[in-house]
Amino acid sequence: MAAPATDQFQPGHRIPVHHQDKPGFQYKMPNPKPIDDQLPTDDGGFQPYKPAGKLKGRRAIITGGDSGIGRAVAILYAMEGASSLLVYLPEEEQDAQATKRDVEKHGVKCHLLAIDVRKKENCRKVVDTAIKEMGGVDILVNNAAFQHMLQDISQLTEEQWERTFDTNIHPFYYLSKYCLEHMKRGATIINCSSVNHYIGRGDLLDYTSTKGAIVAFTRALSNQQLKKGIRVNCVCPGPIWTPLIPSTMETKAMEEFHMVPMGRPGQPSEVATCFVFLASPDSSYISGQCLHPNGGVVVNG
């Protein structure tokens, strides 16, 4: 039975405006908190995600797995039968432990690794840990990201530009490279990009630039790896209610966060279903492509 209607799935819903220090913490977000494992119903209510065993026995690495989209992906993967290694920053330990508890409720193992993936040697450690703890890697979810709003390129320091690229695209290369040493036919890599590079968001110049690079990386790596039977795809979310928002966005941007054709922000669970689809045999004829859970924003390219 569907649960009663909630504003979170209604047009006109506005997120509670509040601000946090970076990197943002889900446990500190006010109610209503992000939704991890429920989806909308036609009458405006919500219902639990309904698994079908699509990822039984699979093993996933999920960066940024402590909260937000990463947490929802880990939970839905667990419901579908996949174990996971969650990668996150040391200061995000409390959120990571909560995610681990939610994942292991579904009878699979959840391993944790607090590490900064901006360093290539740490990316190698991520993959080595996955091999040691899970015996292999079938799914790589490149999801970790950094952003900071600025109105003009004159305000964007060289240090921030480099930090954003070091977080948002360089680990995608390192983790993919090191995972592919162990991946077999049928494995998948799923990268998280954004709607922003399609619309050219000026107040997130560096972030938007990295998200465009992710799409290009996805397409090229797919063309390279398909001959090995390994698919590479991308998810490009629109405005999704995660800890990244209160820790990086200005008040005005948060007040306008619902301004997409559907009239509301999305929930992490509504993005995580795309990651399930792209990791499962349901998407067996799809590679080098982008899915767009963005509230109805029409994009091209």
Side-chain angles (χ1 to χ4, degrees):
M1 180 179 295
T6 171
D7 287 345
Q8 288 170 288
F9 291 131
Q10 296 293 327
H13 171 64
R14 302 191 179 205
I15 60 174
V17 175
H18 75 293
H19 299 282
Q20 295 186 20
D21 293 332
K22 295 180 181 65
F25 305 97
Q26 193 152 324
Y27 76 91
K28 288 186 176 181
M29 295 175 75
N31 292 323
K33 293 186 183 295
I35 295 177
D36 302 318
D37 59 358
Q38 297 173 328
L39 296 169
T41 57
D42 292 340
D43 61 359
F46 55 93
Q47 60 187 335
Y49 173 79
K50 299 176 182 177
K54 294 179 178 181
L55 302 177
K56 188 174 182 179
R58 307 288 274 181
R59 300 156 297 185
I61 294 174
I62 305 171
T63 66
D66 60 294
S67 62
I69 292 171
R71 172 183 287 187
V73 171
I75 293 172
L76 265 57
Y77 276 13
M79 295 174 77
E80 294 288 359
S83 56
S84 58
L85 170 67
L86 307 185
V87 183
Y88 54 95
L89 294 171
E91 54 264 42
E92 297 168 324
E93 185 68 32
Q94 184 167 335
D95 274 343
Q97 291 291 342
T99 303
K100 177 181 173 71
R101 290 192 294 271
D102 287 344
V103 166
E104 293 191 336
K105 289 177 185 176
H106 300 287
V108 298
K109 288 295 294 182
C110 180
H111 308 277
L112 301 181
L113 181 60
I115 202 166
D116 189 342
V117 293
R118 287 181 294 173
K119 297 180 179 180
K120 62 182 178 181
E121 58 269 26
N122 287 347
C123 292
R124 173 64 78 179
K125 184 175 181 180
V126 167
V127 177
D128 289 347
T129 300
I131 300 304
K132 177 183 177 181
E133 298 293 341
M134 300 189 294
V137 180
D138 306 296
I139 306 162
L140 169 62
V141 174
N142 284 314
N143 169 65
F146 168 82
Q147 70 177 26
H148 180 72
M149 297 189 74
L150 294 167
Q151 297 302 318
D152 190 82
I153 192 171
S154 62
Q155 302 171 305
L156 178 57
T157 65
E158 290 87 348
E159 290 77 15
Q160 180 178 317
W161 176 268
E162 292 169 1
R163 176 182 177 180
T164 305
F165 273 78
D166 285 344
T167 304
N168 293 8
I169 181 62
H170 295 161
F172 286 38
Y173 157 73
Y174 294 124
L175 289 167
S176 297
K177 180 180 176 69
Y178 302 150
C179 278
L180 283 165
E181 296 173 1
H182 304 277
M183 284 180 157
K184 299 177 180 179
R185 180 171 293 273
T188 58
I189 296 173
I190 310 169
N191 299 319
C192 192
S193 181
S194 171
V195 69
N196 286 339
H197 96 273
Y198 291 94
I199 63 176
R201 183 154 183 167
D203 56 5
L204 290 169
L205 178 61
D206 48 336
Y207 176 86
T208 296
S209 299
T210 62
K211 294 303 179 175
I214 290 167
V215 170
F217 176 74
T218 298
R219 292 170 174 173
L221 188 62
S222 171
N223 285 335
Q224 184 187 90
Q225 296 299 316
L226 271 176
K227 61 181 177 290
K228 303 176 186 176
I230 296 171
R231 297 184 297 110
V232 185
N233 287 292
C234 190
V235 180
C236 300
I240 308 299
W241 182 222
T242 74
L244 188 69
I245 306 311
S247 65
T248 65
M249 282 200 156
E250 299 169 356
T251 297
K252 184 175 185 295
M254 296 181 72
E255 291 172 343
E256 297 174 348
F257 204 59
H258 65 290
M259 294 176 64
V260 293
M262 285 190 183
R264 64 172 178 86
Q267 296 295 328
S269 58
E270 296 179 282
V271 180
T273 54
C274 295
F275 284 88
V276 171
F277 172 69
L278 291 174
S280 78
D282 289 354
S283 59
S284 59
Y285 201 52
I286 298 176
S287 192
Q289 307 302 319
C290 299
L291 299 185
H292 298 278
N294 64 21
V297 177
V298 177
V299 298
N300 296 296

